[in-house]
């Protein structure tokens, strides 16, 4: 007996040593996970990247400034023709040009450019400096291809939808994490309660062993019964150790979900403050289907992907059109022997120039645009089929989740009745044994049955709460049902 007690004490103390205990509610665990879960932190980065990409795409409409300062020199040899008046004479030409400008693009494909230019020339055939000035503007406007949509507008619209898709992906990750925390928390409660059940079973086995030894000393029980009781004590001790191991492992699951620094949690034992309850939840399959098709982030992502493909399709269809561009130019120029007179034509408007016209460009076969458009139509069909498949899979998943919740609730009643019957059976058998009408073996067997029944009841309670969490996950309603609001910045 002494050796067995020492063995029990040694094994029970060989557990993880926690320096402190933290009592936590499910809500507190969820809030910690929302702040520190690494999966959420990783997924949260992508929308920020998408926002930068969107702003970069909008930069296509940022105007840009140009400036130039160019010096040219050219030396020409004289004519080698003796009959030429320039025979043997060479010439030098110097020119300097300076010009600022601004250019850019507008959202309907309009390209604009405003340029100024001043050229100063001198050389052999210039008795003095000559100044040429020019100030003008030009506009090119697509009328068919690239009018209603072009590559820049396509990129901007696609990036907007990509941002929405990745925000929905972040929302899905948050829902997944909240659900995982709930499931881990319910499992932690189960494992904690199961430790108590196994410890109670061990106490029952030790009490039975003590009673058996008393009866052996009185000569009313065979020594073999003591060995059976000792065997049960050892078996129950093993169950306690296994239950505590499972509790520690489940605690690590929850800590990992709540933390981005697991090491800081190693010395902390989490004590759930909530109980496993069988709260009746109205289960309406039709309503769950409606919620799922309306709220599930993966279905909403698929819808946005279809919208994104529509933009691609609209652009590719536009590229089938011929290129017809309207070009307009207008400006003023001047000429003089000094800088002031060289600008007279611009100041007075006398040196006017303008042009306008249409430029048509029709490819012979346009194979690139035709085949690209055909491929994008097939891609849209593929996405439509995928969307339909996703909706159908969601309906099946929700149907299974509703049935699982219903079954889990029914199992609570069944396991509770089984536990009550086991308690009554053990109590009756112990009384029979006390009157010499039963055996030690039967009592030990009923003790094992009671322990198993208590554990199954706890498991049924945990499974029911987990089934509800998984149902809300399949509906996409986890955040709403937990009164959580996600703000994406």
């Amino acid at each position: 007996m002494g050796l067995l007690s020492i063995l029990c004490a040694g094994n029970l103390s060989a557990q993880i040593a926690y320096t402190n205990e933290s009592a936590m509610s499910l809500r507190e665990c969820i809030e910690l996970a929302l702040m520190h879960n690494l999966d959420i932190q990783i997924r949260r980065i992508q929308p920020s990247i998408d926002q930068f990409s969107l702003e970069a795409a909008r930069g296509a409409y940022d105007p840009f400034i140009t400036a130039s300062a160019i010096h040219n020199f050219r030396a020409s040899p004289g004519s080698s023709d003796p009959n030429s008046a320039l025979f043997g004479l060479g010439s030098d030409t110097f020119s300097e040009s300076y010009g600022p400008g601004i250019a850019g693009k507008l959202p309907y494909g309009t390209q604009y450019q405003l340029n100024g230019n001043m050229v100063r020339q001198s050389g052999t055939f210039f008795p003095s400096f000559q100044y040429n000035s020019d100030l003008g503007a030009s506009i090119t406007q697509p009328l068919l291809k690239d009018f209603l949509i072009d590559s820049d507008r396509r990129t901007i619209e696609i990036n907007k939808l990509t941002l929405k898709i990745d925000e929905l992906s972040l929302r899905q990750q948050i829902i997944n994490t909240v659900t995982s925390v709930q499931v881990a928390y319910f499992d932690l409660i189960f494992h904690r309660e199961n430790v108590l059940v196994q410890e109670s079973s061990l106490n029952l086995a030790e009490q039975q062993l003590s009673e058996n030894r008393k009866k052996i000393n009185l000569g009313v029980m065979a020594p073999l019964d003591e060995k059976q009781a000792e065997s049960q004590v050892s078996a129950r001790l093993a169950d306690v150790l296994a239950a505590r191991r499972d509790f520690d492992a489940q605690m690590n699951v929850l800590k990992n979900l709540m933390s981005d620094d697991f090491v800081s949690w190693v010395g902390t034992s989490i004590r759930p403050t909530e109980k496993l309850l069988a709260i009746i939840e109205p289960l309406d399959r039709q309503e769950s289907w409606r919620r799922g098709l309306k709220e599930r982030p993966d279905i909403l992502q698929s819808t946005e992907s279809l919208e994104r493909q529509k933009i691609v399709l609209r652009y590719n269809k536009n590229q089938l059109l011929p290129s017809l561009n309207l070009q307009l130019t207008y400006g003023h120029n001047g000429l003089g022997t000094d800088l002031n007179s060289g600008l007279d034509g611009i100041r007075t408007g006398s040196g006017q120039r303008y042009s306008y016209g249409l430029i048509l460009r029709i490819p012979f076969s346009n194979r690139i645009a035709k085949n690209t458009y055909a491929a994008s139509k097939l891609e849209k069909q593929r996405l439509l089929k995928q969307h339909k498949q996703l909706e159908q899979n969601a309906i099946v998943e929700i149907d299974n989740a509703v049935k699982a919740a219903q079954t889990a609730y029914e199992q609570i009643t069944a396991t509770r009745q089984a536990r009550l019957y086991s308690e009554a059976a053990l109590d009756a058998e112990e009384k029979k044994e006390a009157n010499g009408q039963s055996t030690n073996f039967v009592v030990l067997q009923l003790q094992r049955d009671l322990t198993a029944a208590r554990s199954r009841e706890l498991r049924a309670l945990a499974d029911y709460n987990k089934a509800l969490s998984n149902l809300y996950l399949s509906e996409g309603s986890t955040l709403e049902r937990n009164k959580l609001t996600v703000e994406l910045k």
Side-chain angles (χ1 to χ4, degrees):
M1 178 176 177
L3 179 60
L4 182 60
S5 299
I6 293 171
L7 214 69
C8 292
N11 285 327
L12 289 174
S13 63
Q15 303 294 320
I16 297 175
Y18 295 106
T19 57
N20 62 293
E21 182 180 71
S22 177
M24 300 187 68
S25 67
L26 176 57
R27 183 76 182 192
E28 290 172 330
C29 292
I30 291 174
E31 290 175 353
L32 276 176
L34 292 177
M35 290 188 292
H36 298 290
N37 180 266
L38 284 171
D39 288 329
I40 293 178
Q41 291 180 22
I42 293 169
R43 195 63 61 89
R44 197 184 296 276
I45 294 173
Q46 189 57 50
S48 299
I49 295 174
D50 295 336
Q51 187 65 53
F52 284 121
S53 298
L54 176 58
E55 293 303 316
R58 287 172 173 158
Y61 302 117
D62 291 343
F64 56 90
I65 297 174
T66 61
S68 62
I70 302 173
H71 177 81
N72 287 310
F73 169 75
R74 181 175 181 178
S76 300
S79 174
S80 59
D81 183 1
N83 298 320
S84 171
L86 301 177
F87 175 72
L89 297 177
S91 65
D92 294 334
T93 302
F94 298 87
S95 69
E96 297 173 346
S97 63
Y98 306 92
I102 186 170
K105 188 176 182 179
L106 299 177
Y108 277 91
T110 308
Q111 297 182 20
Y112 62 88
Q113 188 170 1
L114 178 64
N115 285 319
N117 195 37
M118 169 62 72
V119 179
R120 185 177 75 166
Q121 293 179 306
S122 63
T124 303
F125 301 107
F126 294 91
S128 62
F129 285 113
Q130 179 174 292
Y131 291 84
N132 296 287
S133 62
D134 185 84
L135 178 64
S138 65
I139 293 175
T140 301
Q141 175 61 56
L143 300 178
L144 293 175
K145 182 179 178 181
D146 293 333
F147 174 53
L148 296 177
I149 187 170
D150 60 11
S151 61
D152 292 324
R153 278 171 281 175
R154 176 198 61 181
T155 301
I156 290 173
E157 293 304 314
I158 285 177
N159 285 355
K160 286 180 181 178
L161 292 173
T162 299
L163 174 59
K164 289 183 180 179
I165 290 171
D166 287 327
E167 286 177 344
L168 288 168
S169 179
L170 171 59
R171 183 180 180 86
Q172 182 68 69
Q173 182 59 58
I174 292 173
I175 289 174
N176 290 343
T177 300
V178 170
T179 303
S180 296
V181 170
Q182 289 175 324
V183 169
Y185 191 86
F186 296 140
D187 274 336
L188 186 64
I189 298 174
F190 162 75
H191 286 295
R192 179 180 174 82
E193 295 296 323
N194 191 49
V195 168
L196 299 178
V197 168
Q198 300 302 329
E199 288 177 346
S200 176
S201 177
L202 175 59
N203 290 334
L204 280 176
E206 288 176 338
Q207 290 173 12
Q208 185 68 26
L209 176 59
S210 178
E211 291 296 325
N212 287 356
R213 283 175 175 159
K214 291 179 181 179
K215 292 178 181 179
I216 291 172
N217 292 334
L218 294 174
V220 296
M221 180 176 283
L224 178 61
D225 291 328
E226 179 184 12
K227 299 302 180 184
Q228 289 177 340
E230 287 178 347
S231 173
Q232 288 303 309
V233 169
S234 297
R236 299 293 75 77
L237 173 60
D239 292 339
V240 169
L241 294 174
R244 290 186 176 182
R245 177 204 61 206
D246 293 341
F247 174 69
D248 289 332
Q250 187 59 39
M251 200 185 315
N252 282 344
V253 172
L254 184 57
K255 290 176 180 177
N256 190 40
L257 288 168
M258 297 190 305
S259 173
D260 52 8
D261 182 15
F262 180 81
V263 175
S264 64
W265 282 85
V266 169
T268 301
S269 176
I270 298 175
R271 177 171 58 83
T273 59
E274 301 181 24
K275 300 293 184 181
L276 290 174
L277 302 175
I279 300 175
I280 300 177
E281 180 71 23
L283 300 176
D284 185 338
R285 182 169 54 187
Q286 295 294 334
E287 176 62 19
S288 292
W289 282 346
R290 186 197 66 78
R291 282 177 179 269
L293 296 179
K294 180 182 177 181
E295 299 180 15
R296 279 177 63 120
D298 56 344
I299 291 180
L300 296 178
Q301 282 180 282
S302 178
T303 301
E304 297 298 337
S305 294
L306 281 169
E307 291 299 317
R308 187 167 58 181
Q309 185 59 26
K310 288 179 183 178
I311 293 172
V312 173
L313 191 61
R314 183 157 61 93
Y315 170 75
N316 290 337
K317 184 177 182 180
N318 177 265
Q319 297 304 295
L320 296 173
L321 298 174
S323 174
L324 179 63
N325 293 339
L326 171 65
Q327 285 193 345
L328 304 173
T329 63
Y330 182 82
H332 293 274
N333 58 77
L335 177 64
T337 57
D338 56 37
L339 179 60
N340 187 52
S341 62
L343 295 172
D344 281 345
I346 296 176
R347 284 197 296 261
T348 62
S350 58
Q352 188 182 48
R353 63 177 177 83
Y354 67 86
S355 67
Y356 57 88
L358 296 171
I359 299 176
L360 177 66
R361 184 171 180 267
I362 304 175
F364 279 108
S365 65
N366 208 14
R367 283 189 297 172
I368 295 177
K370 288 178 180 178
N371 286 282
T372 301
Y373 177 62
S376 61
K377 287 199 296 183
L378 289 176
E379 176 64 15
K380 182 182 177 182
Q381 292 180 20
R382 186 181 69 84
L383 291 175
L384 284 169
K385 294 291 185 183
Q386 283 186 342
H387 185 78
K388 183 177 180 180
Q389 183 185 45
L390 188 62
E391 288 184 330
Q392 181 167 298
N393 290 341
I395 289 174
V396 173
E397 181 182 333
I398 291 170
D399 186 60
N400 290 336
V402 170
K403 292 176 180 176
Q406 290 172 337
T407 302
Y409 185 77
E410 293 167 357
Q411 286 176 336
I412 293 173
T413 302
T415 55
R416 180 177 293 121
Q417 289 298 322
R419 187 258 302 168
L420 292 173
Y421 293 150
S422 293
E423 288 176 347
L426 177 59
D427 182 63
E429 202 65 29
E430 286 176 339
K431 291 178 181 177
K432 289 171 62 177
E433 185 194 21
N435 296 325
Q437 297 175 348
S438 183
T439 64
N440 179 65
F441 176 81
V442 175
V443 172
L444 293 174
Q445 181 63 49
L446 290 176
Q447 286 179 355
R448 291 196 299 270
D449 292 345
L450 176 58
T451 300
R454 287 173 173 171
S455 183
R456 283 194 294 268
E457 182 183 7
L458 287 171
R459 172 47 68 191
L461 285 166
D463 287 347
Y464 173 66
N465 285 276
K466 289 163 57 178
L468 289 180
S469 295
N470 287 323
L471 172 60
Y472 303 153
L473 171 65
S474 65
E475 291 177 345
S477 63
T478 300
L479 302 181
E480 175 189 349
R481 291 183 182 271
N482 286 277
K483 296 179 174 57
L484 295 171
T485 302
V486 177
E487 294 183 1
L488 302 176
K489 299 180 180 181

